[in-house]
């Protein structure tokens, strides 16, 4: 295992993008901006604020330009945009995104289903985007979707994941996200893959993206953290359900993750009380209950009143 | 850390007792028996099958005698009964429970609220029960409730937990359960306490009982397992919500735990397909959705059909 460079666990908040993208309820642009602005003052250093995909493909996020143009950018916060192709990259650059996040699946079948092209075509498109972005000062990250398992193909060869990481770096992409797109990862597998990837790139360049589809999201975070990973995607309220598992939860929940860190003494720099206030506003915004648990249970320090009868025992 | 004596993770199924006790819907005695009988052939070696508490206190479990008398006992399965006092112990012995599980809270306030007596009175009652049971061949276990935190008092001194474990052993109780009654434990705390307790008793005598109230149940299991613990309570479907955190989930979910073990290569001896079938029957029995996630998401191996359009890319 590589030496652990720092203790702090960096949370990249993805609710405004990955969280909202499959929501059936339209969220007004002003509400998206208000959410991002509130997150910007809660201690995050990275927020995935929107995407520049086809409005037909993801209508919930069709207002990417307006969002990026109107948010109140805080110094020290990196505002990330998901982009699927060169056209999306151009839109994101025009809207002053600080970082572009590209996506390809480790699984050929999943990449064809999600991106409607082969992995080879995706990698070629990455090269075009790198050339477009080079010299602009905008950061580049690329995600390996289905890195821990594919809902169509099942197991994904770990050597293939490593080869894709190498291919991303060779194309000229600095940041890598390993994404457990449909919540199939387990902690032993996570520790193995993270250890291999951190032999190739520094912890500051690696993000882990877990879904809690089968209840293992936070256990996978701890396994990755113990193996040296320091940056994790999470969504307020646990937003972002998986279309293949209705009723199972989506992204790991930011406030549940920050609570875990607070209780274990792992610094995050994030204000958990602010998060809870924001999370408790999501059901009114989206019209349904959230999978996150801390917003319902409260923190450990939120003590319950002692029943009256106890005083007489 | 003490040497790990064996790899197998033993799951004690507690749905018929801890799972059902706060359900508002009455479950017919025949349905309880059918559930226990089905669990008995799914690979469990321990099932907490009922309790012998006052029918006024826990009306949902008022049929303890009928349940214990009518279940089809399988060889190799230990049927455990929760008992709160000497009278409960006498009823459990008369109903041929294989093991009695006693309960006291580490927190004085919680013990007064839950057991309506001081910890000192609880310990004295344990002594009476040990004398009653001695020589009968029936096993004795006692739980330290709120061992990782109390909803009334907050943090629990770890030395107090250790002192209670010692007191239980001195009274003559073989088995110890450390219970995170309202889901306040974190993995570092769990590793610390489990390591200390396993310096005092063998892994075969220790059970960990986690709730998933704040989403940390399975992460806590892994921390305990890595520290040498091998026996864990879990409830089918994640039954057993906490009355202090409505909407947050209850006991850790048996099928989610067994799936974690299957994926990580930790043997349990439990048939996950049978569990899933049983779990998927719970909403019809109890009239509400379950917090467990695997029953909704399916196993990793349950692949999804490839969309038609993918074939043409």
């Amino acid at each position: 295992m590589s030496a652990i460079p720092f203790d702090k666990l960096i949370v990249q908040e993805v609710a405004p993008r990955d969280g909202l993208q499959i929501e059936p309820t339209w969220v007004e642009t002003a509400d998206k901006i208000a959410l991002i602005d509130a997150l910007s003052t809660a201690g995050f250093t990275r927020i995935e604020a929107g995407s520049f995909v086809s409005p037909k493909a993801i209508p919930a996020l069709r207002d990417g330009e307006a969002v990026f143009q109107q948010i109140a950018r805080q110094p020290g916060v990196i505002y990330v945009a998901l982009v699927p192709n060169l056209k999306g990259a151009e839109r994101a650059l025009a809207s002053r995104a600080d970082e572009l996040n590209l996506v390809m699946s480790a699984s050929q079948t999943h990449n064809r289903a999600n991106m409607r092209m082969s992995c080879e075509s995706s990698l070629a498109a990455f090269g075009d985007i790198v050339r477009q972005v080079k010299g602009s000062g905008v950061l580049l990250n690329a995600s390996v979707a289905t890195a821990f398992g594919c809902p169509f193909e099942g197991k994904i060869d770990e050597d293939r994941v490593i080869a894709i990481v190498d291919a991303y770096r060779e194309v000229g992409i600095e940041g890598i996200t390993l994404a457990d797109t449909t919540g199939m990862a387990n902690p032993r597998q996570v520790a193995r893959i993270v250890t291999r990837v951190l032999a190739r790139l520094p912890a500051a360049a690696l993000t882990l993206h877990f879904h809690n589809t089968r209840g293992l999201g936070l256990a996978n975070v701890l396994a990755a953290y113990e193996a040296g990973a320091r940056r994790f995607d999470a969504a307020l309220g646990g937003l972002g359900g998986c279309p293949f598992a209705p009723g199972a939860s989506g992204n790991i929940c930011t406030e549940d993750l920050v609570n875990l860190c607070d209780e274990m003494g792992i610094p995050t720099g994030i204000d958990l009380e602010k998060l809870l206030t924001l999370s408790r506003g999501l059901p009114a915004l989206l019209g349904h209950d959230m999978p996150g648990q801390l917003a319902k249970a409260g923190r450990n320090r939120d003590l319950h009143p002692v029943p009256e009868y106890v005083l007489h025992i």
Side-chain angles (χ1 to χ4, degrees), chain A residues 26-56:
Chain A
W26 167 250
V27 176
E28 296 295 340
T29 305
D31 289 330
K32 286 177 182 141
I33 292 166
L35 175 62
I36 294 165
D37 287 351
L39 291 166
S40 292
T41 61
F44 293 101
T45 53
R46 310 184 130 263
I47 298 172
E48 200 175 63
S51 75
F52 293 94
V53 299
S54 152
K56 277 185 200 153

Side-chain angles (χ1 to χ4, degrees), chain A residues 53 82-85 101-105 107-119 121-122 125-126 145:
Chain A
V53 299
L82 183 87
V83 303
N85 51 33
N101 185 23
L102 320 180
V103 183
M104 182 186 97
S105 304
S107 150
Q108 276 282 7
T109 310
H110 191 271
N111 202 60
R112 286 168 198 265
N114 192 41
M115 306 304 293
R116 302 197 175 227
M117 62 178 91
S118 68
C119 292
S121 300
S122 280
F126 283 13

Side-chain angles (χ1 to χ4, degrees), chain A residues 277-291:
Chain A
T277 302
L278 286 175
S279 177
R280 287 170 177 150
L282 289 177
L285 188 68
L286 296 164
H288 60 80
D289 193 25
M290 297 292 129

Side-chain angles (χ1 to χ4, degrees), chain A residues 47-305:
Chain A
I47 298 172
E48 200 175 63
S51 75
F52 293 94
V53 299
S54 152
K56 277 185 200 153
I58 314 267
L61 299 180
R62 64 178 182 263
D63 51 358
E65 273 87 356
V67 168
F68 268 87
Q69 283 160 11
Q70 295 172 43
I71 50 175
R73 293 169 191 242
Q74 296 294 327
V77 181
I78 293 169
Y79 296 90
V80 181
L82 183 87
V83 303
N85 51 33
L86 187 59
K87 191 180 166 203
E90 288 163 353
R91 291 170 59 202
L93 290 177
S95 300
R96 296 194 300 118
D98 298 312
E99 179 172 310
L100 311 189
N101 185 23
L102 320 180
V103 183
M104 182 186 97
S105 304
S107 150
Q108 276 282 7
T109 310
H110 191 271
N111 202 60
R112 286 168 198 265
N114 192 41
M115 306 304 293
R116 302 197 175 227
M117 62 178 91
S118 68
C119 292
E120 292 71 21
S121 300
S122 280
L123 269 180
F126 283 13
D128 296 339
I129 294 171
V130 169
R131 280 183 289 279
Q132 176 74 14
V133 169
K134 197 173 277 182
S136 68
V138 170
L139 303 168
L140 274 172
N141 187 87
S143 295
V144 187
T146 66
F148 300 91
C150 168
F152 306 121
E153 295 186 6
K155 292 195 180 182
I156 296 292
D157 182 15
E158 292 177 13
D159 289 342
R160 180 170 169 81
V161 175
I162 301 298
I164 292 171
V165 169
D166 288 344
Y168 283 6
R169 303 277 285 183
E170 278 160 27
V171 167
I173 292 162
E174 303 95 358
I176 306 283
T177 297
L178 299 177
D180 183 26
T181 310
T182 58
M184 296 171 74
N186 75 69
R188 282 190 182 165
Q189 175 192 27
V190 167
R192 234 176 13 241
I193 296 179
V194 167
T195 300
R196 288 184 69 180
V197 171
L198 286 181
R200 303 171 123 72
L201 48 104
L206 178 63
T207 303
L208 276 294
H209 177 104
F210 292 120
H211 280 237
N212 197 34
T213 319
R214 291 167 179 86
L216 302 182
L218 296 182
N220 286 329
V221 168
L222 286 181
Y225 183 85
E226 280 166 22
R230 289 295 178 269
R231 195 196 290 171
F232 296 89
D233 285 350
L236 192 71
L239 268 175
C242 168
F244 301 117
S249 77
N251 284 283
I252 58 167
C253 170
T254 309
E255 63 269 24
D256 291 5
L257 171 59
V258 172
N259 176 63
L260 167 63
C261 292
D262 281 4
E263 293 295 325
M264 287 180 73
I266 297 172
T268 65
I270 296 167
D271 182 336
L272 185 49
E273 285 302 324
K274 270 196 183 168
L275 281 192
L276 283 169
T277 302
L278 286 175
S279 177
R280 287 170 177 150
L282 289 177
L285 188 68
L286 296 164
H288 60 80
D289 193 25
M290 297 292 129
Q293 294 183 233
L294 195 73
K296 294 160 196 139
R299 302 170 78 173
N300 282 5
R301 65 172 66 168
D302 300 332
L303 300 183
H304 292 260

